Amino acid sequence: MKQFKTESKKLLDLMINSIYTNREIFLRELVSNASDAIDKLSFAALTDPSISVNQDDLAIRVSFDKDARTVTVSDNGIGMTAEELEENLGTIAHSGSEAFKAEHGDAQGDAMDIIGQFGVGFYSSFMVASRVRVVSRAFGSDQAFAWESDGVEGYTIEPAAAGERDGADDHGTDVILYLRESTEAEDTDRYLSEWGLRDLIRRYSNYVRHPIQMMVTKSEPVANPDELPDDAPRYVEHQELETVNSMTPIWKKRASEVEQDDYDEFYKSTFHDYTAPARTISFHAEGALSYDALLFIPGEAPFDLYSKDYEKGLALYSSNVLIQEKCADLLPDYYNFVRGIVDSPDVHLNISRETLQQNAQLRAIAKRVERKIKSELATMLADDREAYEKFFENFGRGLKFGIYNTYGMNAGELADLLLFYSAKEQKMVTLREYVQAMPEGLDKILYAAGDSRERLEKLPAVTGAVKRGYDVLLCTQDVDEFMFQAMRTYHMDAVAGDAETPGVDAREVELANVSTADLDLATEEEKTAAEQATKDHEDLFGAMAEVLGDKVSAVRVSANLTDAPASIGTEGPISLEMERVMQQGPDAGMAPKAHRVLEINANHPVFEKLVAAKAADDQDKLALYASLLYDQALLVEGLPVDDPVEFAKNVCALM
Ligand code: ADP
């Protein structure tokens, strides 16, 4: 027996025991080697006129033997001589494909489409097999050789036994895996079944260019059921050789060649979704870095999208072979809902994730993927508002988190994709639409945040603003206000004008919570009047602030109020809604509080009552009024009163 080299032993041990957790990929590796071997033979036939092969006969065959516990992957490709068996399989991580490519130059690389650089491909067999026998006969040779190993110490190479590839022209390779017993960690029994193997082929090698054939059991209804006795079987079974893989990848086709129905079916079966995708994006690149990509925006959000277990990523193929089911590096987090496939013969990958992340080709593809998704969404927003609103309902929250999580850094990318409910328009609007409809005198985007649209609509600050002709965005998702704080401003891009419509200049517009105490929506006159009133009634407001204690930082007249007698505004960066959201979080105890200001409407009849109470020096009445005004303002905001018993008592006292 020949010994594996020490490094090989170490590597083998490492791989079998740790690197791959996903053991079922062994089949993909063997199938891709078989496909390479066929490519090599086709290539030889192309370049050497003395070699003639019938391309139609070239195929990969997968079979199993339940009793012997073997799975065999065969090909009638180029095969290996004894020396090649030694060289290729004797040294782990030796890449024969690479040597072949180097020898023949890269010029024909495309015709060959050889998949190399997958490192330890063949050796992955030992993850599921305790012994592997490779019987191979090189094209043009009349002797087959057998390589055999337990993947631990070493291997043997001997002439193959009688019956092993000894027919006329029986070139090619059989890789026979003697499967380990099933364990809890790895169910190897499933590889000893038609469905088990078929499932693996479909999942990992469906788009290998050569046919992958399997003997399958078919059952057919009998021809003459009426003439048979009642208990006779109505179906007969027979074995049939079937090509299990689809061979032509749908993503290689141009969108114009494919019916949407076919995309939909492909999407549904590949990504296990009942609903057809909302959008299909197909694009291709040629040149130094060539690839095909097919992306889908789902019609519905997967149930686990917002859970910790959700894994984003696109399937990554290299030359039709699945490298990674979910390559996370291809998608930014905020587009985590996108499903799809990228296939590039140019991404050279090793099995470890680190190499993936550092891969420059992959980064270039990821960049284009991101741009494509954005422009598709922008198109959808412009062309099919209804569909976009549905999309946004499903996935908008993720886009908002994309801005919030990066401290607003992605705002430029994402802000124009956001929709908010407009209090004035009573429908969803974009920030751009808001800014373009902004009336004279307003230089901020106003929003109100809370848990229900109905309640927000009735907030004094909102009704006040709307009455003045200003729009307010009603935000009901927990992330909204945090996102706005991260953004601080909305940058509206310029739009070039044309003969009919004038252009729009770029603008930077501040975002402001409409309940913010220092917001000036009022006219200069109103503001001066409010300031004056605050000054004139300094004593009154001082007395009220004293009654309310540390619940409020100030009591003052607000020019913003129109109908309501009073409202709670805030000073500083924390709004009431943010306070509420943070109170529900894990650090509730440490969460910062909003600085509340009790704002009084000096034009409301209630104000006169306050003034009268102060004038009469009726301390009790003033305390009662102050507490009641504060509590009812809290209730209007949708916040609990601090002391419900006290509140109830105060109401009774008033009556
Ligand atoms: P890689 O495929 O990345 O080169 P492997 O360890 O999977 O690495 O295979 C090593 C080499 O063994 C291959 O490069 C190829 O030359 C040879 N080989 C493997 N399987 C076959 C096969 N079915 N037919 C011919 N050659 C093969």
Side-chain angles (χ1 to χ4, degrees), residues 33-34 36-37 40 75 78-80 88-89 94-97 115-123 173:
N33 279 349
D36 284 357
K40 286 179 191 169
D75 66 74
I78 198 150
M80 285 177 272
N88 294 334
L89 307 186
H94 169 274
S95 179
S97 303
I115 306 139
Q117 298 227 353
F118 297 127
V120 286
F122 164 76
Y123 291 89
T173 304

Side-chain angles (χ1 to χ4, degrees), residues 347-413:
V347 275
H348 293 300
L349 300 166
N350 229 317
I351 43 169
S352 74
R353 266 190 59 78
E354 285 69 34
T355 7
L356 261 180
Q357 267 160 355
Q358 289 156 12
N359 189 301
Q361 283 106 331
L362 215 59
R363 278 203 306 273
I365 299 174
K367 234 183 182 162
R368 176 115 184 269
V369 162
E370 180 173 349
R371 278 207 308 272
K372 280 283 177 185
I373 298 170
K374 184 181 176 187
S375 77
E376 185 70 28
L377 291 176
T379 309
M380 191 171 168
L381 174 62
D383 298 351
D384 190 348
R385 188 68 174 229
E386 200 181 320
Y388 189 82
E389 285 185 15
K390 178 148 195 279
F391 154 80
F392 196 77
E393 215 171 279
N394 280 321
F395 304 112
R397 188 157 171 262
L399 301 186
K400 293 172 182 174
F401 268 108
I403 295 179
Y404 168 63
N405 288 341
T406 54
Y407 309 103
M409 248 151 57
N410 290 324
E413 188 66 27

Side-chain angles (χ1 to χ4, degrees), residues 1 4 12 16 126 129-132 147-156 180:
M1 188 202 283
F4 284 121
L12 209 51
I16 294 169
F126 290 107
S130 53
R131 183 154 65 95
V132 178
W147 177 100
E148 201 169 310
S149 171
D150 60 1
V152 181
E153 286 302 320
Y155 56 93
T156 57
R180 296 173 196 280

Side-chain angles (χ1 to χ4, degrees), residues 1-5 8 80-92 94 122-123 134 136 145-148 154-158:
M1 188 202 283
K2 300 193 179 181
Q3 298 286 311
F4 284 121
K5 295 211 177 74
S8 301
M80 285 177 272
T81 62
E83 292 73 36
E84 284 166 337
L85 280 171
E86 164 87 53
E87 192 180 337
N88 294 334
L89 307 186
T91 324
I92 186 168
H94 169 274
F122 164 76
Y123 291 89
V134 180
S136 194
F145 288 89
W147 177 100
E148 201 169 310
Y155 56 93
T156 57
I157 297 175
E158 286 166 354

Side-chain angles (χ1 to χ4, degrees), residues 261-405:
D261 271 356
D262 290 334
Y263 278 139
D264 290 355
E265 276 317 308
F266 173 78
Y267 167 80
K268 286 195 248 177
S269 62
T270 310
F271 300 106
H272 310 285
D273 196 345
Y274 295 109
T275 326
R279 276 292 198 276
T280 305
I281 313 170
S282 150
F283 59 98
H284 312 270
E286 267 147 36
L289 175 60
S290 59
Y291 55 88
D292 302 284
L294 180 60
L295 313 179
F296 298 98
I297 295 169
E300 299 286 348
F303 70 94
D304 59 346
L305 181 64
Y306 292 110
S307 85
K308 276 205 304 291
D309 300 331
Y310 182 79
E311 257 185 90
K312 64 160 184 166
L314 299 177
L316 179 63
Y317 284 77
S318 186
S319 301
N320 306 345
V321 178
L322 180 63
I323 304 306
Q324 216 181 29
E325 247 181 317
K326 287 197 171 171
C327 179
D329 299 334
L330 284 171
L331 279 181
D333 283 343
Y334 45 86
Y335 292 149
N336 66 351
F337 51 84
V338 174
R339 319 298 275 278
I341 283 147
V342 167
D343 184 354
S344 170
D346 298 322
V347 275
H348 293 300
L349 300 166
N350 229 317
I351 43 169
S352 74
R353 266 190 59 78
E354 285 69 34
T355 7
L356 261 180
Q357 267 160 355
Q358 289 156 12
N359 189 301
Q361 283 106 331
L362 215 59
R363 278 203 306 273
I365 299 174
K367 234 183 182 162
R368 176 115 184 269
V369 162
E370 180 173 349
R371 278 207 308 272
K372 280 283 177 185
I373 298 170
K374 184 181 176 187
S375 77
E376 185 70 28
L377 291 176
T379 309
M380 191 171 168
L381 174 62
D383 298 351
D384 190 348
R385 188 68 174 229
E386 200 181 320
Y388 189 82
E389 285 185 15
K390 178 148 195 279
F391 154 80
F392 196 77
E393 215 171 279
N394 280 321
F395 304 112
R397 188 157 171 262
L399 301 186
K400 293 172 182 174
F401 268 108
I403 295 179
Y404 168 63
N405 288 341

